């Protein structure tokens, strides 16, 4: 079909659909073409839907932060601005201790689960061995097991082996940390594994060819390539550990209370702005960790890009 | 080739993957200072052979020796050979300079010596001034130069190149061919290149090993391969070929007589006969040796009549396809020497395809046995 005959067919079609079609055509700025899937972002109802999603996601969080500055004990009606509850939270020794516990557990668990997860991913990627599919399945099992079951199992396990409950700080956090490592390292393994899929094996062979030993290849070629995956995995592990409630609840003792558990126990005596303040701080730390993680993977410096 | 000239020797090298023989009883001796090509269709085992020399695969049987030393159980990082990979494998998180320096660094070359050697290597591949760039900022051709510099800076005894030009566009490929030959001359390092492209192999290599189905079919210089192919596969894989079925009538000594239906009794050199004394053989001639005449052949020329069926015009030359009375297709390449010469040949015209009897060669293969499988 020639160009002119195409034009001739198109013209009456446009005449039949005035109004809306013309508006869309004008919005797209390029005549009578069918809209592609991404063009739908320009329609009003999709924008409205997106706005609704954002509202549902962020309005509660915004409310939480706003009401942390509410000058009211009951914290139901806005009474006026104050930062008193931040000061109060800061002076709440138990809250601060819970906070320190949470950060200690999260830091340790992140470090260990990143190393373990990376090792698991490397083993599963690099080697063929009997029972490998089984091993792979078992590695990711903690991701699919309901958290409540995992919590109960952890509690039973530590009881069974007679984990001492009278340890001093920070050893008293040991069982929680072990439980956190157990459920976060599979996430690291999955993220690192996904990154390894795109790895060009010739890079490894080239390094070997140039005289590098297997360990030098791992240090100089594979790990730098994995860096974005390692950071992403570590961030996931950190956030998972920091806000875990269920599993921690079953493994925590009276001397190893974490921030989520402390907040939960405070809520039983009424929702005060102090809780909002503590939650706000938790959100800030999480956001800050994410920003740092994203900044460390600056675009344009992807070590995987050839 | 004397023992001292051999840099790489392969003795009865076989590589099996399960029941499949990727490389089958290969014997090769590659000389110092040689530009050697492993040529064959994909899956013929040429890359596997190269990887075995590099140390990335171990042979199932046989011995690989580099400069007299058996390479059995020697890992790639301890072999005096370096490789340019098909994907170039330039380390993406390092700059060009760091890439080239890497091999020296892990080898423990002193920190004072490294910058000079890196600069020399980059100059050699014409990448001076690129040391600070990352691979993401380089074109395909530049990345290949990095891979070359990175391998050459190690001063290997042998440089292995795995399909180095296949990812480049046609113009760049031609320039790189000349470049590689220059580098080989300048460095005096033995180059072994793997390629499926006959033009690459013919234009660059001193000697070529043609491989098929894991076996070496023939090892010879480019001209020898083209003009005196050892068998039907080599003849068909390198260049184009016209084949006729023949019956060996007389054999013995340097020449033989073959009874070819369309050509009558033809006397040809027995060089390619491989000791055969009778039976069906293949008689062949290259398309550019054929002349289109209006009269039957005389004076030591032979040939047959045919009708032009198709003409493929390539500018500098045309490929004329003729059909004989018996239905044999003949391809004659005609140089378009004058501006109007191609007008003289039209579809439907009848010509005598004639050539010098001395340009005919005879191959030991039975023309009916698996000719299709062999014709590559």
């Amino acid at each position: 079909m020639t160009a002119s005959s195409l034009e001739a067919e198109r013209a009456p079609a446009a005449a039949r659909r005035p109004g809306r079609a013309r508006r869309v055509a004008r919005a797209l700025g390029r005549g009578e073409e069918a809209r592609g899937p991404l063009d739908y972002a320009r329609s009003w109802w999709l924008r409205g839907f997106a706005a609704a999603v954002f509202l549902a996601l962020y309005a509660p969080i915004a409310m939480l932060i706003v009401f942390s500055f509410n000058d009211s004990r009951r914290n139901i009606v806005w009474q006026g601005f104050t930062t008193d509850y931040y000061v109060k939270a800061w002076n709440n020794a138990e809250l601060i201790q819970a906070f320190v516990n949470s950060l200690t557990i999260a830091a340790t668990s992140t470090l260990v689960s990143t190393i373990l997860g990376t090792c698991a991913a490397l083993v599963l990627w690099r080697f063929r061995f009997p029972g490998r599919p089984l091993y792979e399945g078992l590695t990711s099992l903690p991701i699919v097991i309901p958290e409540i079951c995992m919590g109960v199992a952890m509690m039973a396990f530590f009881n069974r082996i007679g984990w001492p409950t009278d340890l001093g700080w920070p050893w008293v956090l040991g069982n929680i940390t072990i439980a956190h490592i157990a459920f976060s390292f599979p996430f690291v393994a999955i993220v690192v594994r996904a990154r390894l899929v795109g790895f060009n094996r010739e890079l490894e062979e080239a390094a070997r060819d140039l005289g590098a030993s297997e360990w030098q290849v791992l240090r100089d070629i594979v790990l730098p390539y994995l860096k974005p995956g390692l950071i992403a995995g570590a961030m996931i592990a950190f956030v998972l550990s920091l806000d875990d409630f269920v599993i921690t609840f079953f493994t925590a003792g009276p001397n190893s209370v974490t921030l989520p558990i402390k907040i939960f126990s405070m809520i039983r005596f009424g929702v005060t702005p102090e809780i909002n303040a503590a939650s706000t701080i938790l959100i800030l730390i999480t956001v800050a960790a994410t920003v740092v993680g994203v900044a460390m993977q600056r675009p344009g410096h992807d070590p995987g890009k050839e | 080739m004397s023992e001292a000239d051999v840099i790489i020797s392969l003795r009865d090298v076989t590589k099996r993957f399960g029941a499949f023989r990727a490389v089958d009883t290969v014997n090769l001796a590659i000389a110092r200072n040689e530009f050697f090509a492993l040529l064959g269709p994909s899956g013929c085992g040429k890359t596997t052979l190269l990887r075995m020399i590099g140390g990335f695969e171990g042979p199932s049987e046989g011995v690989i020796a580099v400069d007299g030393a058996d390479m059995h159980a020697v890992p790639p990082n301890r072999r005096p050979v370096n490789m340019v990979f098909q994907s170039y494998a330039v380390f993406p998180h390092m700059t060009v300079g760091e890439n080239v320096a890497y091999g020296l660094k892990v080898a423990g070359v002193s920190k004072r010596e490294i910058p000079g050697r890196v600069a020399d290597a980059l100059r050699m591949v014409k990448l001076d001034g690129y040391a600070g760039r990352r691979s993401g900022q380089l074109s395909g051709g530049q990345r290949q130069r990095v891979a070359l510099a990175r391998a050459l800076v190690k001063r290997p005894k042998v440089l292995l190149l795995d399909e180095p030009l296949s990812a480049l566009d046609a113009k760049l490929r031609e320039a790189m061919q000349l470049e590689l030959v220059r580098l080989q001359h300048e460095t005096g390092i033995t180059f072994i290149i793997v390629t499926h492209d006959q033009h690459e192999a013919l234009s660059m290599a001193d000697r070529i090993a043609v491989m098929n189905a894991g076996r070496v079919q023939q090892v010879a210089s480019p001209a020898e391969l083209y003009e005196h192919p050892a068998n039907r596969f080599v003849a068909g894989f390198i260049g184009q070929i016209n084949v006729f079925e023949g019956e060996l009538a007389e054999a013995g000594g340097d020449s033989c007589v073959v009874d070819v239906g369309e050509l009558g009794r033809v006397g040809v050199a027995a060089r390619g006969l491989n000791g055969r004394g009778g039976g069906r053989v293949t008689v062949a001639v290259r398309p550019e040796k054929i002349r289109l005449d209006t009269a039957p052949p005389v004076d030591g020329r032979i040939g047959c009549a045919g009708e032009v069926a198709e003409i493929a015009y390539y500018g500098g030359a045309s490929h004329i396809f003729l059909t004989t009375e018996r239905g044999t297709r003949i391809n004659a390449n005609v140089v378009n020497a004058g501006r109007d010469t191609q007008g003289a040949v039209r579809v439907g015209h009848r010509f005598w395809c004639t050539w010098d009897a001395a340009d005919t060669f005879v191959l030991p293969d039975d023309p009916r046995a698996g000719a299709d499988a062999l014709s590559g």
Side-chain angles (χ1 to χ4, degrees), chain B residues 129-171:
Chain B
Y130 283 77
R133 303 252 190 129
R134 278 173 190 274
S135 75
Q137 300 166 287
L138 300 177
S139 70
Q142 289 168 335
R143 245 176 271 168
Q144 180 180 50
R145 287 162 188 273
V146 175
L148 272 169
R150 191 174 66 178
L152 288 173
V153 80
K154 297 274 292 176
R155 295 172 188 160
K157 288 179 176 166
V158 179
L159 184 71
L160 310 171
L161 302 111
D162 185 10
E163 299 270 7
L165 307 176
S166 60
L168 305 178
D169 61 67
K171 273 261 191 283

Side-chain angles (χ1 to χ4, degrees), chain A residues 151 154-155 158 172 175-176 179-180 246-253 256:
Chain A
M154 283 292 173
M155 183 177 73
F158 285 115
V172 70
N175 57 344
I176 300 179
H180 281 200
V246 178
I247 290 169
T248 314
F249 186 75
F250 282 94
T251 39
S256 54

Side-chain angles (χ1 to χ4, degrees), chain A residues 208-294:
Chain A
R208 291 281 281 150
D209 186 67
L210 292 169
S213 67
E214 301 247 20
W215 285 106
Q216 283 170 323
V217 171
L218 185 68
R219 189 195 65 197
D220 299 339
I221 310 299
V222 180
L223 286 182
Y225 172 82
L226 287 181
K227 204 176 119 196
L230 296 178
I231 294 169
M235 270 168 52
I236 292 174
F238 184 79
V239 172
L240 280 176
S241 167
L242 196 64
D243 77 347
D244 179 73
F245 178 80
V246 178
I247 290 169
T248 314
F249 186 75
F250 282 94
T251 39
N255 296 322
S256 54
V257 172
T258 65
L259 191 59
I261 293 188
K262 181 66 188 165
I263 290 175
F264 177 72
S265 67
M266 285 164 76
I267 275 177
R268 285 189 294 189
F269 303 106
V271 184
T272 62
E274 190 182 354
I275 293 170
N276 288 31
S279 307
T280 303
I281 299 292
L282 192 57
I283 289 170
L284 281 180
I285 290 173
T286 319
V287 170
T290 313
V291 168
V292 169
V294 170

Side-chain angles (χ1 to χ4, degrees), chain A residues 19-286:
Chain A
R20 207 174 72 83
R22 208 179 300 141
R23 267 206 317 277
V24 172
R26 211 182 304 131
L28 293 173
R30 53 184 162 85
E32 282 280 293
E33 275 178 56
R35 282 186 297 177
L38 294 179
D39 291 340
Y40 281 88
R42 296 167 191 267
S43 59
W44 63 269
W45 60 267
L46 206 102
R47 291 182 190 190
F49 184 70
V53 168
F54 276 112
L55 194 72
L57 271 177
Y58 290 111
I61 295 173
M63 289 293 282
L64 174 100
I65 295 172
V66 168
F67 274 79
S68 70
F69 298 104
N70 189 8
D71 192 5
S72 154
R73 261 202 65 74
R74 303 288 302 160
N75 206 13
I76 295 163
V77 193
W78 181 257
Q79 299 279 337
F81 181 86
T82 179
T83 53
D84 283 357
Y85 287 99
Y86 282 88
V87 179
K88 206 171 168 209
W90 178 252
N91 290 326
N92 184 339
E94 280 181 22
L95 192 63
I96 293 298
Q97 182 60 50
F99 190 58
V100 170
N101 285 350
S102 269
L103 285 181
T104 311
I105 294 166
T108 317
S109 139
T110 299
L111 185 71
V112 178
S113 57
T114 303
I115 294 169
L116 277 184
T118 307
C119 291
L122 283 170
V123 164
L124 289 171
W125 168 72
R126 186 70 163 75
F127 302 107
R128 302 260 171 277
F129 50 88
R132 183 168 161 269
L134 184 72
Y135 183 72
E136 191 161 10
L138 284 176
T139 305
S140 43
L141 203 56
I143 294 172
V144 292
I145 285 185
E147 237 191 322
I148 183 79
C149 302
M150 187 107 169
V152 173
M154 283 292 173
M155 183 177 73
F157 170 75
F158 285 115
N159 271 335
R160 186 77 189 78
I161 63 165
W163 184 270
T165 50
D166 52 354
L167 295 167
W169 200 90
W171 311 111
V172 70
L173 307 174
N175 57 344
I176 300 179
T177 310
I178 289 171
H180 281 200
I181 291 165
F183 76 74
S184 16
F185 95 89
F187 287 92
V188 178
I190 282 180
V191 173
V192 173
R193 189 83 203 283
R195 176 98 186 137
L196 278 169
V197 168
F199 184 74
N200 175 6
R201 287 297 285 271
E202 285 196 346
L203 291 177
E204 187 188 339
E205 290 181 343
R208 291 281 281 150
D209 186 67
L210 292 169
S213 67
E214 301 247 20
W215 285 106
Q216 283 170 323
V217 171
L218 185 68
R219 189 195 65 197
D220 299 339
I221 310 299
V222 180
L223 286 182
Y225 172 82
L226 287 181
K227 204 176 119 196
L230 296 178
I231 294 169
M235 270 168 52
I236 292 174
F238 184 79
V239 172
L240 280 176
S241 167
L242 196 64
D243 77 347
D244 179 73
F245 178 80
V246 178
I247 290 169
T248 314
F249 186 75
F250 282 94
T251 39
N255 296 322
S256 54
V257 172
T258 65
L259 191 59
I261 293 188
K262 181 66 188 165
I263 290 175
F264 177 72
S265 67
M266 285 164 76
I267 275 177
R268 285 189 294 189
F269 303 106
V271 184
T272 62
E274 190 182 354
I275 293 170
N276 288 31
S279 307
T280 303
I281 299 292
L282 192 57
I283 289 170
L284 281 180
I285 290 173
T286 319

Side-chain angles (χ1 to χ4, degrees), chain B residues 305-344:
Chain B
E307 187 182 306
V308 177
E310 271 174 73
I311 299 172
Y313 178 68
Y314 288 102
S318 293
H319 294 184
I320 318 281
F321 295 92
L322 303 99
T323 313
T324 66
E325 276 159 24
R326 297 190 180 205
T328 309
R329 243 169 108 78
I330 295 182
N331 173 7
N333 293 359
V334 177
V335 175
N336 295 323
R339 271 182 148 176
D340 304 320
T341 43
Q342 70 269 26

